[in-house]
Amino acid sequence: MGIEDNSPAAAPLLPKAQMAVPALTKAAPVLSCLLYMSVSVAMTFVNKYTMQVFPLSNIVMIMQMLATWMILQPLRPILGFRPFSLARARQFLYITVMYTASTAFALIGLKTLNVPMYNVIKRLTPMIVLVFKAIVRKHWPPVQIIASVVMVVVGCIVAGVGDLMFDLSGYVFCLLSCACQAAYLLLVEFKGTRAHGPVSSQEMLYYNCITSIPLLILLVLADGEASSLPGAYATGIQTHGA
């Protein structure tokens, strides 16, 4: 016969462990939101500093795409998406173009816009998606959601009027980035999954990285960034150090 442990200290262990799971489940959305917010803000500041040190946006994008691909490639079996397929890449080409354009316009806009204004304007993307969905589906969202979107738009207008460092080109490129990002999200939702089967966000990012690199290389050669690379690199090292 075994010896039962009837001590009061041993009994609560299992119930506490069982209670911890629902608590973590409830906290997961909040933690996810905080992580997204932190990464998004950090990414904006890093991109802004990069554009000040090395103002060749398309070359920066190529390096970002290469770095992302090098991270995703070894993780592909763990994340569970299929190897790269040229036929599948062609199917996602129009989505990749919107993704690349959105990122490129955002980097160009960050050259002249300050970080707070950039973040405010980028909040307009959900409004574009919301309005487009409402027009296509002929069904407007609840009043509370519409009121929230209107408040965001009003906030953008007020912030723009009070921007002491107003730069029209920065606003234009940032708004173009919002439009392309909204188009990207809508294409993924309405066309990508429906036409090509379920696609995870990791797989879509994987294809975006690989297929955008040739487009960016052509753009670098066309706009003269390739010839500006040695001078920009030397200036960055001289001004900011290695």
Side-chain angles (χ1 to χ4, degrees), residues 3 8 30 43-45 51 67 71 77 83 109 112 117 189 225 235 241:
I3 299 175
V30 178
M43 181 180 68
T44 302
F45 278 101
M51 287 296 95
I71 293 172
T112 54
M117 279 309 309
E189 180 176 350
E225 281 194 8
T235 303

Side-chain angles (χ1 to χ4, degrees), residues 9 21 29 37 50 53 82 104 109 129 131 133 136 160 179-180 186 214 222 229 233 236 241:
V21 175
M37 180 180 67
T50 303
V53 175
R82 290 167 286 183
V129 174
V131 172
K133 284 184 178 181
V136 170
C180 291
L186 291 167
L229 177 58
Y233 180 79

Side-chain angles (χ1 to χ4, degrees), residues 63-195:
M63 292 188 288
Q64 289 179 343
M65 295 300 103
L66 284 172
T68 306
W69 172 77
M70 287 189 290
I71 293 172
L72 287 176
Q73 182 63 30
L75 293 176
R76 188 183 56 76
I78 301 173
L79 297 174
F81 55 84
R82 290 167 286 183
F84 180 80
S85 165
L86 190 57
R88 197 165 174 81
R90 284 198 299 265
Q91 293 172 340
F92 293 138
L93 182 60
Y94 53 90
I95 296 176
T96 298
V97 169
M98 288 295 103
Y99 174 85
T100 305
S102 171
T103 309
F105 286 140
L107 289 176
I108 296 172
L110 265 175
K111 288 182 180 180
T112 54
L113 274 182
N114 58 66
V115 172
M117 279 309 309
Y118 171 84
N119 284 323
V120 169
I121 296 175
K122 287 292 285 183
R123 300 288 80 80
L124 292 175
T125 300
M127 181 206 69
I128 300 173
V129 174
L130 185 70
V131 172
F132 184 86
K133 284 184 178 181
I135 294 173
V136 170
R137 294 175 177 173
K138 298 179 181 179
H139 176 72
W140 288 90
V143 177
Q144 296 90 333
I145 296 179
I146 295 177
S148 301
V149 172
V150 170
M151 288 181 65
V152 170
V153 175
V154 172
C156 289
I157 295 173
V158 172
V161 171
D163 186 9
L164 300 178
M165 301 174 62
F166 181 83
D167 183 90
L168 181 59
S169 63
Y171 276 79
V172 170
F173 282 116
C174 198
L175 289 172
L176 285 173
S177 175
C178 291
C180 291
Q181 185 180 7
Y184 166 77
L185 295 172
L186 291 167
L187 285 171
V188 170
E189 180 176 350
F190 285 98
K191 296 293 184 181
T193 301
R194 186 179 304 171

Side-chain angles (χ1 to χ4, degrees), residues 61-62 64-70 72 84 96 99-100 202-214 216:
M61 271 196 66
I62 291 176
Q64 289 179 343
M65 295 300 103
L66 284 172
T68 306
W69 172 77
M70 287 189 290
L72 287 176
F84 180 80
T96 298
Y99 174 85
T100 305
Q202 296 89 350
E203 183 178 6
M204 183 61 68
L205 180 59
Y206 179 73
Y207 275 92
N208 285 339
C209 292
I210 296 175
T211 54
S212 66
I213 290 174
L216 289 169

